[in-house]
Amino acid sequence: MKTVAILGASGYTGRELARLLATHPSLRLAGAFSARENDVPEAPELPCDARVEALDWSRIGACDGVFLCTPHAASAELARRVLALGPKVVDLSADFRLPDAGLYERVYEHRHGAPELLREAPYGLTELAREAVRIARLVANPGCYPTATLLALKPLVAAGLVDTARSIVVDAKSGVSGAGKNPSNRTHFGASHENFLAYGVGGHRHAPEIRLHAGVTDLVFVPHLLPVFRGILATIYVKPARGIDAARMRACLAETYAGERFVQVYDRGQPELNRVQMTNQCHIAVTQQEDTVILTSAIDNLVKGASGQALQNMNLVLGLDEAAGLV
Amino acid sequence: MKTVAILGASGYTGRELARLLATHPSLRLAGAFSARENDVPEAPELPCDARVEALDWSRIGACDGVFLCTPHAASAELARRVLALGPKVVDLSADFRLPDAGLYERVYEHRHGAPELLREAPYGLTELAREAVRIARLVANPGCYPTATLLALKPLVAAGLVDTARSIVVDAKSGVSGAGKNPSNRTHFGASHENFLAYGVGGHRHAPEIRLHAGVTDLVFVPHLLPVFRGILATIYVKPARGIDAARMRACLAETYAGERFVQVYDRGQPELNRVQMTNQCHIAVTQQEDTVILTSAIDNLVKGASGQALQNMNLVLGLDEAAGLV
Amino acid sequence: MKTVAILGASGYTGRELARLLATHPSLRLAGAFSARENDVPEAPELPCDARVEALDWSRIGACDGVFLCTPHAASAELARRVLALGPKVVDLSADFRLPDAGLYERVYEHRHGAPELLREAPYGLTELAREAVRIARLVANPGCYPTATLLALKPLVAAGLVDTARSIVVDAKSGVSGAGKNPSNRTHFGASHENFLAYGVGGHRHAPEIRLHAGVTDLVFVPHLLPVFRGILATIYVKPARGIDAARMRACLAETYAGERFVQVYDRGQPELNRVQMTNQCHIAVTQQEDTVILTSAIDNLVKGASGQALQNMNLVLGLDEAAGLV
Amino acid sequence: MKTVAILGASGYTGRELARLLATHPSLRLAGAFSARENDVPEAPELPCDARVEALDWSRIGACDGVFLCTPHAASAELARRVLALGPKVVDLSADFRLPDAGLYERVYEHRHGAPELLREAPYGLTELAREAVRIARLVANPGCYPTATLLALKPLVAAGLVDTARSIVVDAKSGVSGAGKNPSNRTHFGASHENFLAYGVGGHRHAPEIRLHAGVTDLVFVPHLLPVFRGILATIYVKPARGIDAARMRACLAETYAGERFVQVYDRGQPELNRVQMTNQCHIAVTQQEDTVILTSAIDNLVKGASGQALQNMNLVLGLDEAAGLV
């Protein structure tokens, strides 16, 4: 039995990790901590026996692994400190997702807190980075929109099947949990229920992350807010390279993910949120309309898009079965 | 006071018309009929004093106008028969939306029931066809997705502001009422609530309607099913013509719709379904991301996307204030 | 054309009044004001041309009527001040609903701000207080739960058909709009969507209002939070007086509300929220199960339960058709 | 590893069992069968590798246990046939819930198909019938509403803490999954979403089941349909016996359920559906209002109210850890 801690456990991703760890066969949650010492948060009940506690570095240091559910900017320095104590780290924030500190600072508009760690942190899109993750002591857990998008798009670009000289359009839709747990005008039931809208239309921080890791430059990304709690569906419009069609692209993805437990490439039909909610699955369909190929990719943003993939990465980092505790 | 009848009143668009007519200052609902004679439908309560009755041609003939809420294929012949009796007709089906019978027959896969009427029926996107509608005796009421899409896109194409040699992507999302009132696996609460998916990805019948009336050929259209009852949001990705940007496009739309009561072009912010639900409004925003311009357009699919626009057209056809009975 | 103002226009009831007034045939909204002078609220768009403005007493004084959408405690003194300037007042807060200042102070735990006005303010359950409202200059608009409950219960108690020596149970369920517009942990989408719970189980401020105006003492009231935006359904369990059954009670209610435009007593079937949402209607069914009679009563909490009934009362106070602007 | 089969696997309870069994440590799903031989159902994907197959008695006979997810009337004879082949049976239908065939026939209006088995089938409200279940070969799995109601009410009645001479009111609310998977006007998204209503107000088949197993006669039961997919909340109004109050009742329940993994009695706060959804938990609060005590009890109707409790019972029947595969 190995032990892990959650740092920044009050939000949705921390709560989701606690839910997943409650039935994990070989990891024990040794502590769910607030991001600050001397902080006694108004304890939200976790879906397990643990409670969110004030940060206690001595107990952090005794763990095998630590999940950072802290916001970007805060995570970088916490990662450095945790690593110095010994535990491996999976960081769910954006702090290590862009390996270039200059790009990071343009996108997030503050200095990076631990640039010396950028080089060693693999981008933990597990199925496509398994070997690098396995030997890492720090993993950058991908963003939710990038996970849904890249699992479908990246292998196709890498195989040269996409005409990257023509614009790729990523029209993505996320449930409200993506907006976090803090009450706001936007997350008010009256503003989200029976509603739908686009946001960040002029530019969203996940766009550079997607472009960089997909290896493309001409890509438009527009997120939307769905009146559901969990789930992301990305609809991705690409122009195939010369001589390529949807069937060829589908075959490429089927081959890429053959034998994978958490990625399913459809022969027919379309992914739906309710087939992936509460699971670590990514479901992908590839469809042709005239000379455009449309990739549809669905995940649970809190699981494969955050805490589930983080656990998948932690399992690897700690030498466990990658799928332990995940469905 | 003029009188109108609804033919095919049992579905959502018929019910919505009954709702709107209940407070109309100068139109009286003279009858809400089933599409068949000798049919005594299991009367669903209408949101007014009327009940759905078996079809009675003598009362139809006595009306000033008739709304056809009947399915495509059925509408064409009913339109001919109603016109022969005198009343003006607004047809909410697809039967007169594609002015070319050959195209119609390829898309809908059956012979057109009244091809001789195709030429005289204007495509009733009211704000862009007002004068033709005013003098028509038969109006083809536009589809819901085409209405949301064309109100934003058509004026820009017409003004030469869009690079139509590059693909236009229309990623559209509709509430469940768009799937109609008949119970099915898809419209079951358990299949739509807390869910989201794309459908018709390989090709949808509204795509030819959009391409034809927008005057473009390279346009991809993918509809999605939202877990809300009312509303469509279309997110439209276009490449501007040389030297054109979002500001120029916004100015074009603002000018096109200056003084219009039912189309609002945003200076800032994004349309949301809950600002247009239960209204005949179309809200449009124009946003730039890198070298792509994104049009977002929201309507209530049952109002501006169906019964509201039908009433707007009927008002014109009968010489009334276009906005009567509409908000 | 008479003129009205809204004081405290930023919340849901103010916004709803603005929506209703936008199509009112004989009332003009002369101003939608914040509750404070020198306050420039972050203007939420109203569903009409008006905007929320800082309080301006000179424009208030020029109106024929004023709606107070301000919180209890604040309303009482504002009512006194408005009345002194001339306009009639409909107060949507609780300040004048309990005619006994002592009871008010026990329930609301602060001194009443204008006890001298308590006696003159009728409790504006319009159908049951029409004549008093017509001649009033200040009307206490009933609470949302009391409206749904009392329209069903009060006539039966008054007619002696209920055995008031045995407990009456009112199990009521309200949409989230009843919790107001301020973001909170409770109104967060993640806490209300796909959820349901009881609240105020030990005692809720609407219980004394219901007991007092129903004329009963042994009544239990438990409200619940529904994952819908609009609507209240109250399920009321009463024991009939000796020799009385559901049919007799139904007849009493049918007679009480014969000819009323906004109350419908069902012969069969059950009220549903979606038949009353966006209307000023109250739908009531009376059903027997063994020796208990169950009253089910449905309203839109924002319309008949607040702004709609307030407008119905204002129409009467200003000598207009009671139903003007309402459906 | 023991093996089980599901008979009648196409509905929601069968699908839920397949979901739970997919991660069960010591039970293997040997077959998910339609209720009929020669039936090749339009295979709905199960949330596991299994598919719904036509009924195959030879494979049924080879199992250790069989779950009957078939409708009442059908279950009784199927139970007899399965038992004759050897496997133990947990029946999720109503067929063995009322131990008196005469009462059964009055309530369900057809002859009982296997009255000789009624006596041996314990009513599997697991926490209150554990020893009888452990030695049974046939278990009657309780109804969803009865489970939520009886876990809170039955121990209090048994302990003499309730004044059963005065009416008990059970006002219960269920998600739409309780209405089953077949499309109908009632389960259409447009009829359930953003809606709420009471049904079965004059009398519902679960009322006799509740009265019988609670050991009371004067009990009113009214179910309601919530716009959520999963979950039941029952609000139960009782009069305490002389000298008894809520604190005493809470202590009784806390003692009854001390050490139980699936029933939690609150010290403070109220149960919410979203704390029990996707779990086998029942959360109960006990609150006093004037001289009435209000029990609120929440379960997931598909888990503790159906398939979860069925699995809990099957675990016992097969000699496994009662909680295996359940959270």
Side-chain angles (χ1 to χ4, degrees):
Chain A
M1 208 69 173
K2 301 205 164 177
T3 56
V4 291
I6 303 169
L7 224 153
S10 303
Y12 282 143
T13 57
R15 194 172 80 174
E16 189 72 4
L17 272 165
R19 181 181 75 81
L20 294 169
L21 290 165
T23 57
H24 197 289
S26 43
L27 282 181
R28 193 173 59 76
L29 179 57
F33 298 103
S34 163
R36 278 168 299 211
E37 294 166 280
N38 306 321
D39 185 28
V40 185
E42 192 196 335
E45 237 167 303
L46 291 178
C48 62
D49 292 334
R51 291 290 175 279
V52 180
E53 303 172 81
L55 180 50
D56 177 344
W57 281 106
S58 68
R59 287 165 60 199
I60 294 276
C63 289
D64 298 293
V66 171
F67 295 99
L68 295 181
C69 296
T70 39
H72 67 84
S75 274
E77 292 178 48
L78 289 166
R80 182 195 285 137
R81 190 155 172 191
V82 173
L83 289 173
L85 295 172
K88 307 287 178 62
V89 171
V90 176
D91 175 29
L92 285 84
S93 88
D95 274 0
F96 300 99
R97 293 180 192 158
L98 302 175
D100 168 350
L103 175 59
Y104 177 88
E105 292 173 4
R106 283 194 301 282
V107 174
Y108 290 92
E109 299 176 336
H110 59 81
R111 293 195 63 79
H112 196 284
E116 79 283 4
L117 295 174
L118 277 172
R119 175 166 297 185
E120 69 171 279
Y123 184 72
L125 201 62
T126 324
E127 284 75 11
L128 304 180
R130 187 169 281 128
E131 296 318 311
V133 168
R134 208 186 294 277
I135 61 173
R137 55 173 199 152
L138 168 63
V139 179
N141 211 59
C144 51
Y145 287 122
T147 296
T149 304
L150 293 167
L151 284 172
L153 181 62
K154 188 178 167 73
L156 301 177
V157 173
L161 306 186
V162 175
D163 179 355
T164 56
R166 299 169 73 189
S167 279
I168 296 168
V169 170
V170 180
D171 188 289
K173 303 87 176 174
S174 171
V176 180
S177 58
K181 206 176 153 190
N182 284 334
S184 70
N185 285 332
R186 174 49 59 206
T187 59
H188 193 292
F189 183 85
S192 349
H193 175 73
E194 191 68 5
N195 199 11
F196 184 69
L197 73 159
Y199 67 98
V201 184
H204 183 279
R205 284 167 169 176
H206 282 177
E209 183 180 336
I210 293 170
R211 289 187 197 115
L212 183 80
H213 292 288
V216 301
T217 52
D218 188 355
L219 180 146
V220 187
F221 170 69
V222 176
H224 300 71
L225 191 63
L226 280 172
V228 306
F229 187 66
R230 288 169 177 268
I232 283 179
L233 186 94
T235 311
I236 306 165
Y237 301 81
V238 302
K239 296 294 180 189
R242 182 185 301 268
I244 302 301
D245 63 4
R248 179 72 187 79
M249 289 188 179
R250 193 182 306 117
C252 169
L253 291 175
E255 188 181 14
T256 302
Y257 296 116
E260 291 291 348
R261 278 184 277 196
F262 298 128
V263 183
Q264 187 177 335
V265 181
Y266 283 24
D267 286 326
R268 61 175 181 285
Q270 286 291 323
E272 307 188 21
L273 292 193
N274 70 7
R275 290 190 183 174
V276 298
Q277 284 159 341
M278 301 290 283
T279 80
N280 198 46
Q281 302 289 323
C282 178
H283 288 191
I284 300 173
V286 185
T287 313
Q288 183 129 7
Q289 183 182 142
E290 312 276 326
D291 70 344
T292 298
V293 173
I294 297 136
L295 313 169
T296 39
S297 173
I299 60 170
D300 183 321
N301 59 308
L302 292 179
V303 190
K304 186 61 176 170
S307 306
Q309 186 157 248
L311 179 53
Q312 191 181 0
N313 285 324
M314 185 64 87
N315 282 337
L316 278 174
V317 159
L318 298 182
L320 306 174
D321 171 15
E322 174 183 336
L326 295 167
V327 290
Chain B
M1 208 70 172
K2 301 204 165 177
T3 57
V4 290
I6 303 170
L7 224 153
S10 302
Y12 283 144
T13 56
R15 195 173 79 175
E16 189 72 4
L17 271 166
R19 182 181 74 81
L20 294 169
L21 290 165
T23 56
H24 197 289
S26 43
L27 283 181
R28 192 172 60 76
L29 179 58
F33 298 104
S34 163
R36 279 169 300 210
E37 294 165 281
N38 305 321
D39 186 28
V40 184
E42 193 196 334
E45 237 167 304
L46 292 178
C48 61
D49 292 334
R51 290 290 174 279
V52 180
E53 302 172 80
L55 180 51
D56 177 345
W57 282 106
S58 67
R59 287 165 60 198
I60 295 275
C63 289
D64 298 293
V66 171
F67 295 99
L68 294 181
C69 295
T70 40
H72 67 85
S75 274
E77 293 178 48
L78 289 167
R80 182 195 287 138
R81 188 154 172 192
V82 173
L83 289 173
L85 294 172
K88 306 286 177 64
V89 171
V90 175
D91 175 30
L92 285 83
S93 87
D95 275 359
F96 300 99
R97 293 179 191 159
L98 301 177
D100 168 349
L103 174 59
Y104 178 89
E105 292 174 5
R106 283 194 301 283
V107 174
Y108 289 93
E109 298 176 335
H110 60 80
R111 293 195 63 79
H112 195 284
E116 80 282 7
L117 295 174
L118 278 172
R119 174 165 297 184
E120 70 172 276
Y123 184 73
L125 202 60
T126 325
E127 284 76 11
L128 304 180
R130 187 169 281 129
E131 296 318 312
V133 168
R134 206 187 295 276
I135 59 173
R137 57 173 199 151
L138 169 63
V139 178
N141 211 58
C144 52
Y145 286 123
T147 296
T149 305
L150 293 168
L151 284 172
L153 181 60
K154 188 178 167 73
L156 301 177
V157 173
L161 306 186
V162 175
D163 179 354
T164 56
R166 299 169 74 189
S167 278
I168 296 168
V169 171
V170 179
D171 187 290
K173 302 89 175 172
S174 171
V176 180
S177 58
K181 206 176 156 189
N182 284 334
S184 70
N185 285 332
R186 175 49 59 208
T187 58
H188 192 294
F189 183 85
S192 349
H193 174 73
E194 191 68 5
N195 199 12
F196 184 68
L197 73 159
Y199 66 98
V201 184
H204 184 281
R205 284 169 168 173
H206 281 177
E209 183 179 338
I210 294 170
R211 289 188 195 114
L212 182 81
H213 291 288
V216 301
T217 53
D218 189 356
L219 180 145
V220 188
F221 169 70
V222 176
H224 299 70
L225 190 64
L226 279 173
V228 306
F229 186 66
R230 288 169 178 269
I232 284 178
L233 186 93
T235 312
I236 306 164
Y237 301 82
V238 302
K239 297 294 181 188
R242 182 184 299 268
I244 302 302
D245 64 3
R248 179 71 188 79
M249 289 189 179
R250 193 182 305 116
C252 169
L253 290 175
E255 188 180 16
T256 302
Y257 296 116
E260 291 292 349
R261 277 183 275 197
F262 299 127
V263 183
Q264 187 177 335
V265 181
Y266 283 24
D267 286 327
R268 61 175 181 287
Q270 286 291 324
E272 307 189 20
L273 292 194
N274 70 7
R275 290 191 183 174
V276 298
Q277 284 158 341
M278 302 291 283
T279 79
N280 198 46
Q281 301 289 324
C282 178
H283 287 193
I284 300 172
V286 185
T287 313
Q288 183 129 7
Q289 182 182 141
E290 311 277 325
D291 69 345
T292 298
V293 173
I294 297 137
L295 313 170
T296 38
S297 174
I299 61 170
D300 184 322
N301 59 308
L302 292 179
V303 190
K304 185 63 175 170
S307 305
Q309 186 158 247
L311 179 53
Q312 191 180 359
N313 285 325
M314 185 64 87
N315 283 337
L316 279 174
V317 160
L318 298 183
L320 306 174
D321 170 14
E322 175 183 338
L326 295 166
V327 291
Chain C
M1 207 70 172
K2 301 204 165 178
T3 57
V4 290
I6 303 169
L7 224 153
S10 303
Y12 282 143
T13 56
R15 194 172 80 175
E16 189 71 4
L17 271 166
R19 182 181 74 81
L20 293 168
L21 290 165
T23 56
H24 197 290
S26 42
L27 283 182
R28 192 173 59 77
L29 179 58
F33 298 103
S34 163
R36 280 168 300 213
E37 293 165 283
N38 306 321
D39 185 27
V40 184
E42 191 197 335
E45 237 167 304
L46 292 178
C48 61
D49 293 333
R51 291 290 175 278
V52 180
E53 303 171 80
L55 180 50
D56 177 344
W57 281 107
S58 68
R59 287 166 60 199
I60 294 274
C63 288
D64 298 293
V66 171
F67 295 99
L68 295 181
C69 296
T70 39
H72 67 84
S75 274
E77 292 178 48
L78 289 166
R80 181 194 286 136
R81 189 155 172 192
V82 174
L83 289 174
L85 294 171
K88 307 286 177 62
V89 171
V90 176
D91 174 30
L92 284 85
S93 87
D95 275 359
F96 300 100
R97 293 179 191 159
L98 302 176
D100 167 350
L103 174 59
Y104 177 89
E105 292 174 6
R106 283 194 302 282
V107 174
Y108 289 92
E109 299 176 334
H110 59 80
R111 293 195 62 78
H112 195 283
E116 79 282 7
L117 295 174
L118 277 173
R119 174 166 298 183
E120 69 172 278
Y123 183 73
L125 201 62
T126 324
E127 285 75 10
L128 304 179
R130 188 169 281 127
E131 297 317 312
V133 168
R134 207 187 294 279
I135 59 175
R137 57 174 199 152
L138 168 63
V139 178
N141 211 58
C144 52
Y145 287 123
T147 296
T149 305
L150 293 168
L151 284 172
L153 181 61
K154 188 178 167 74
L156 302 177
V157 173
L161 306 185
V162 175
D163 179 354
T164 56
R166 299 169 74 188
S167 278
I168 295 167
V169 171
V170 180
D171 188 289
K173 303 88 175 173
S174 171
V176 179
S177 58
K181 206 177 154 190
N182 284 335
S184 69
N185 285 332
R186 175 48 60 206
T187 59
H188 193 293
F189 182 85
S192 348
H193 174 73
E194 191 67 6
N195 200 11
F196 184 69
L197 73 159
Y199 67 98
V201 184
H204 183 281
R205 284 168 169 173
H206 281 178
E209 183 179 336
I210 293 171
R211 289 187 196 114
L212 182 80
H213 291 287
V216 300
T217 53
D218 188 356
L219 180 146
V220 187
F221 169 70
V222 176
H224 299 72
L225 191 63
L226 280 173
V228 305
F229 187 65
R230 287 168 178 269
I232 284 179
L233 186 93
T235 311
I236 306 165
Y237 302 80
V238 303
K239 297 293 182 190
R242 182 185 301 267
I244 302 301
D245 63 4
R248 180 70 188 78
M249 289 189 178
R250 192 182 307 117
C252 169
L253 290 175
E255 188 181 15
T256 302
Y257 296 116
E260 291 291 349
R261 279 184 275 196
F262 299 127
V263 183
Q264 187 178 336
V265 181
Y266 283 24
D267 285 328
R268 62 176 180 284
Q270 285 291 323
E272 306 188 21
L273 292 193
N274 70 8
R275 291 191 182 173
V276 298
Q277 284 159 341
M278 302 291 283
T279 79
N280 198 47
Q281 301 289 323
C282 177
H283 287 193
I284 300 172
V286 184
T287 313
Q288 183 128 7
Q289 182 182 142
E290 311 276 325
D291 70 343
T292 298
V293 173
I294 297 138
L295 313 170
T296 39
S297 173
I299 60 170
D300 184 322
N301 59 306
L302 292 179
V303 190
K304 186 62 176 169
S307 306
Q309 186 159 247
L311 180 52
Q312 190 181 359
N313 285 324
M314 185 65 87
N315 283 337
L316 279 175
V317 160
L318 297 183
L320 306 174
D321 171 15
E322 174 183 336
L326 295 167
V327 291
Chain D
M1 209 68 173
K2 301 204 164 176
T3 57
V4 290
I6 302 169
L7 225 152
S10 302
Y12 282 143
T13 56
R15 194 173 80 175
E16 190 72 4
L17 272 166
R19 182 180 76 80
L20 293 169
L21 290 165
T23 57
H24 197 289
S26 42
L27 283 181
R28 190 174 60 77
L29 179 58
F33 298 104
S34 163
R36 279 169 299 210
E37 294 165 281
N38 306 321
D39 185 29
V40 185
E42 193 197 333
E45 236 167 303
L46 292 178
C48 61
D49 292 333
R51 291 290 174 278
V52 180
E53 302 172 81
L55 180 50
D56 177 345
W57 281 105
S58 67
R59 288 165 60 199
I60 296 274
C63 288
D64 297 294
V66 171
F67 294 99
L68 294 180
C69 296
T70 39
H72 67 84
S75 274
E77 292 178 47
L78 289 167
R80 182 195 286 138
R81 189 155 172 191
V82 173
L83 290 173
L85 295 172
K88 306 286 178 64
V89 171
V90 175
D91 175 29
L92 284 84
S93 87
D95 275 359
F96 300 99
R97 294 180 190 158
L98 301 176
D100 168 351
L103 174 59
Y104 177 88
E105 293 175 4
R106 282 195 302 282
V107 174
Y108 288 93
E109 298 175 335
H110 59 81
R111 292 194 65 77
H112 196 284
E116 79 282 7
L117 295 174
L118 278 173
R119 174 166 296 185
E120 69 172 278
Y123 184 72
L125 201 62
T126 325
E127 284 76 10
L128 304 180
R130 187 170 281 129
E131 295 318 311
V133 168
R134 206 187 295 277
I135 60 173
R137 55 173 199 152
L138 168 63
V139 178
N141 211 58
C144 52
Y145 286 123
T147 296
T149 305
L150 292 168
L151 285 172
L153 181 60
K154 188 177 166 74
L156 301 177
V157 173
L161 306 185
V162 175
D163 179 355
T164 56
R166 298 168 75 188
S167 278
I168 295 168
V169 170
V170 180
D171 188 289
K173 303 88 176 173
S174 171
V176 180
S177 58
K181 207 177 154 188
N182 284 333
S184 69
N185 285 333
R186 175 48 60 207
T187 59
H188 192 293
F189 183 85
S192 348
H193 175 73
E194 191 68 7
N195 199 10
F196 184 69
L197 73 160
Y199 66 98
V201 184
H204 183 280
R205 284 168 168 174
H206 281 178
E209 184 180 337
I210 294 171
R211 288 187 197 115
L212 182 80
H213 292 287
V216 301
T217 52
D218 188 355
L219 180 145
V220 187
F221 169 69
V222 176
H224 299 71
L225 191 63
L226 279 172
V228 306
F229 187 66
R230 287 169 177 269
I232 284 178
L233 186 93
T235 311
I236 305 164
Y237 301 81
V238 303
K239 297 293 181 188
R242 182 184 300 268
I244 301 302
D245 63 4
R248 179 71 188 79
M249 288 189 179
R250 193 182 306 118
C252 169
L253 291 175
E255 188 180 14
T256 302
Y257 296 116
E260 291 291 349
R261 277 184 275 195
F262 299 127
V263 183
Q264 187 177 335
V265 181
Y266 283 23
D267 285 328
R268 61 175 181 287
Q270 285 292 323
E272 306 188 21
L273 292 193
N274 71 7
R275 290 191 183 175
V276 298
Q277 284 158 341
M278 301 291 283
T279 79
N280 197 47
Q281 301 290 324
C282 177
H283 288 192
I284 300 172
V286 185
T287 312
Q288 184 129 6
Q289 183 182 140
E290 311 277 324
D291 70 344
T292 298
V293 173
I294 297 138
L295 313 170
T296 39
S297 173
I299 61 170
D300 184 322
N301 58 309
L302 293 179
V303 191
K304 186 61 175 170
S307 304
Q309 185 157 251
L311 180 53
Q312 191 180 359
N313 285 325
M314 184 65 87
N315 283 337
L316 279 174
V317 159
L318 299 182
L320 305 174
D321 171 14
E322 176 183 335
L326 295 167
V327 292

